[in-house]
Amino acid sequence: MKSVNSENTQIINSEAFKEYIKILYLPSGYTVTVDFTVHRTVAPSLLFVSPNQFMKIEEVGLAPGYLIFYNRDFYCIQIHDAEVACDGLLFNNIQNMPLVSLPDGEAEFTNYLFMQITGELALNDSSLEEMVRTYLKQLLIKSTRVWKQQHLEKVVSEQPADLDFFRNFTLLVDAHFKEKHSVADYASLLSIAPKTITHKFKRLNLPQPNDVIKNRLILEAKRLLVHTGMTAKEIAYELGYEDPAYFSRLFQLKTGESPSGFRVKYHGQT
């Protein structure tokens, strides 16, 4: 765990933490970019960042925050999905909604968990890892509950089965988006009709499933354009498009810019 303040921002933003799973606990006044979405904290907030995501702390608030970082060997959310059920919600969320703003009561409990983790790290007992995993699991469970209340409150109370569907669809898209580009592809994986997916997304008040799939592809394309030297043609092939011109038209339609134009504009801004 690391303190988040103006002195540590540069190292936290560096490549040193890129390969870790990260949880930021930040007071108000922070601005953080995750991929291409800017999050501003107006209350104590938790931000969940996967290793494949780009994260940068842009502005630091007056009070310090915390950064928990760990690898999959320490605690794999996929292996422990039955315990915490956060994969596809807090992490790997197709709608890129990794921020949880904490109400007063939840912030108090979160403060307690971070104090306990800090104490365990200072104690450095033989049971350190297991104790920290216990607190981490509590943090993930509580955060998932708050996230569902903030983003899918109606679904949680009225249609809980659709929440499981949302998670399953999210995980399938994240796993297969490079080779499966249509709603019918995912309907086949789920053994349901494509129109059933469309109806469920409408009840969840989400964009059309085809848009969700394409948005995941565009997000990956943006990552590759900004963080690699791959050409637009190479990126098209990497994302499963045999016709680079078709991919470029799709990118232009979704972003309003050509792939090369997006790359130049982004690097010009940064």
Side-chain angles (χ1 to χ4, degrees), residues 79-92:
I79 292 175
H80 298 278
D81 187 66
E83 296 178 352
V84 294
C86 67
D87 197 15
L89 299 180
L90 302 180
F91 297 99
N92 303 313

Side-chain angles (χ1 to χ4, degrees), residues 239-251:
L239 297 180
Y241 287 94
E242 297 181 0
D243 182 357
Y246 175 82
F247 166 75
S248 292
R249 289 195 297 272
L250 173 65
F251 191 94

Side-chain angles (χ1 to χ4, degrees), residues 249-267:
R249 289 195 297 272
L250 173 65
F251 191 94
Q252 177 96 32
L253 179 66
K254 287 290 185 180
T255 67
E257 300 173 298
S258 66
S260 58
F262 175 83
R263 172 179 272 162
V264 170
K265 181 178 179 180
Y266 183 88
H267 286 302

